[in-house]
Structures are given as C-alpha cells and as structure tokens.
Amino acid sequence: MPDFGTDRRTPPGLPQTADRALQVLLAFDRAHPERGVTEIAAEFGLHTSVAQRLLATLAHRGFLVRNDANRRYRIGPAALHLGRMWDQAGALDLLVRPLLAELAADTGHSVLLALPDSAHMRCVVVAEGADGRLRDYPLTNELYPAHAGATSKAFYAFLPAEARSRIFTDRPLARFTDRTVTDLAVLERQFAEVREAGWAFTVGEYDVGVATLAAPVFLREELYGSVSVGWHTDQHEHDPADWAERLRELSNRIGWRLTRPLRARRAVAESGAAARSSAR
C-alpha cells in the first residue's frame, strides 16, 4: 500500500496508513452508500491525489468498486466476505454476551439479544441467570413470531408503518396460547403503547407461564434488534417498571459497543473539519 503521509489523529503505535484507509472505508454507510474522491478529500482533510490513491487501493483489494459512469465508489465484495466471517466467527457473541451476563446476574433470569429474521425474531446471544434456562434446551437460534411476545413486539413496534404492514398484512397469525393477540387492530394499539413506553412487557403470549420484558436496540439511529429478560411467573412476580430502565441502559450499551468504531471515525472527521475551519 502506498504511503499517504502522516496523520496525527492516528493513536500512537498504530500504522497511520492502514488507519487512514480504514477510516475512509468506514465512511461508507447507509446514508452515504456512494462516495467520490473530492468528497472523501474534503471530509478527511486530504489532498485529492491522496484520496484518489486511498480509494484506488481499497478498490484494488475488492473493498470498494468504482462506478465508471460517474467515477464514484461503493462497497465491494471483500466487505461481504468479512461480513460473513463476522457471522461465523462469533464476534457478536464475544462483544455482547458480557453485557447480557451482567443483567442476568443481577436479575437471576435469562437475558437475550434477538435480531429480525423475516416475520420472526431470532435469538442470537443469550446469557442465563441463576434460574437457569427458560426452556429445556438452549435458546440460541430460537425463533419468536413477530406478533407474539415482548421480544418481538419491542422490535416490530418501532418499524416504519409501511414495513410493518408488509409483514403482517395478509399473513395468518398463529395462536400459541389463549393470550396470543391475532387481531391486527389490537396489535397496532399495542405497538403504539410500546413506542410510547419505550419497552414491551407480555405474559404468556408465546410460552405459557413466561413473562418477558424487552426493549429495542438501535445502532446509531437505525433499528437493529431487541434485548429482553424473561422469567417463569410461577416462580417470580416482578413489576416490569423495576427492570425497564436497566434494560434500556443495556440496550444503549449494546448499541454503543457495536458502533464505537463508527463513532470514533466520525469524531475524527469532525475534528479534522474543525481544524480546517480554524485554519481559515
């Protein structure tokens, strides 16, 4: 990789060239799926020739692809490879499980992170408290229907109405217990209540005798999943408000941990912009 000069914003001891290239790669996100040389140069305070070499190097290794029609860049197939490796390597478990374990230890109950999977939420990370498992088998990869239980409702309540309509309209809603809600109008009223409260609480909607308290998880301002704590109602009786604030705090910590590199990149870009402004 060519030398792109000295960047004093790179922490001491880290290779500056590699750090700058990664900063540029992280500048591509949902809000900015396509970037040009001039745009990158301005954001990071680089000479256009340096920005050009950075983008060309990333494209050479497949992390970016260039649209020859407008000479702008988009994320390339190498990023897809790394994304698949992220799923397979258990990095999410490594980052999130310690956070879930803290609440599991405090409550004694199972705490889990679930991510959307079509019309379901899939448990991807779980930490068990002193009570042990909620079921007789591990919850990892367990699917929760979108209309039943707080784990799902805490997520789907915050989807845009159009996206939620695509999931629920013209789809039969199975009844799992006598508490399962299958009326769309009732579900929409419940979703509105969840949005107002910031958390969802259900008892026995999916599993008889299981209460669940859940909160949405956002990465920056984008809906990502839900985090929930569950317990057997024949063993424990809790006011959900007792744990709601802790659960929201956990949700925020998960969001911070999974977006911290992006936040750091933005802070670097903002500091660079401020430095250029003061120099003028």
Side-chain angles (χ1 to χ4, degrees), residues 1-2 4 17 20-28 32-44 46-67 70-76:
M1 185 178 288
F4 300 117
T17 300
R20 182 178 287 174
L22 292 172
Q23 290 174 33
V24 168
L25 186 61
L26 288 171
F28 292 81
H32 306 89
E34 193 172 75
R35 296 272 194 162
V37 173
T38 303
E39 183 181 354
I40 290 294
E43 179 167 339
F44 290 95
L46 305 173
H47 192 279
T48 53
S49 63
V50 174
Q52 174 62 58
R53 295 201 301 273
L54 272 170
L55 292 168
T57 300
L58 290 167
H60 173 68
R61 290 299 178 184
F63 288 98
L64 298 176
V65 291
R66 194 178 89 145
N67 182 347
N70 60 12
R71 299 183 180 181
R72 291 170 68 82
Y73 292 80
R74 286 179 174 265
I75 290 294

Side-chain angles (χ1 to χ4, degrees), residues 33-217:
E34 193 172 75
R35 296 272 194 162
V37 173
T38 303
E39 183 181 354
I40 290 294
E43 179 167 339
F44 290 95
L46 305 173
H47 192 279
T48 53
S49 63
V50 174
Q52 174 62 58
R53 295 201 301 273
L54 272 170
L55 292 168
T57 300
L58 290 167
H60 173 68
R61 290 299 178 184
F63 288 98
L64 298 176
V65 291
R66 194 178 89 145
N67 182 347
D68 290 333
N70 60 12
R71 299 183 180 181
R72 291 170 68 82
Y73 292 80
R74 286 179 174 265
I75 290 294
L80 174 63
H81 167 71
L82 290 182
R84 288 177 173 172
M85 287 300 300
W86 159 266
D87 289 337
Q88 298 169 9
L92 182 62
D93 185 277
L94 181 67
L95 290 171
V96 172
R97 185 187 295 274
L99 303 180
L100 303 185
E102 292 179 19
L103 187 59
D106 289 346
T107 62
H109 308 319
S110 293
V111 182
L112 63 90
L113 172 69
L115 302 182
D117 188 339
S118 186
H120 296 80
M121 296 295 286
R122 181 183 296 275
C123 173
V124 293
V125 185
V126 60
E128 294 164 359
D131 291 348
R133 293 175 176 172
L134 276 174
R135 296 188 180 179
D136 295 332
Y137 54 87
L139 292 178
T140 304
N141 286 322
E142 183 76 2
L143 289 172
Y144 300 92
H147 66 290
T151 297
S152 293
K153 288 181 174 178
F155 176 85
Y156 290 100
F158 289 88
L159 274 184
E162 182 180 348
R164 194 166 55 249
S165 178
R166 288 196 298 268
I167 291 172
F168 289 101
T169 303
D170 298 327
R171 182 188 300 272
L173 302 180
R175 184 177 294 279
F176 301 97
T177 74
D178 60 1
R179 292 174 177 250
T180 304
V181 177
T182 59
D183 185 306
L184 283 178
V186 176
L187 275 175
E188 279 300 320
R189 289 198 294 271
Q190 291 183 342
F191 287 144
E193 292 171 357
V194 170
R195 288 193 296 273
E196 183 177 358
W199 47 271
F201 177 68
T202 58
V203 178
E205 284 193 0
Y206 185 54
D207 287 313
V208 174
V210 173
T212 308
L213 176 67
V217 175

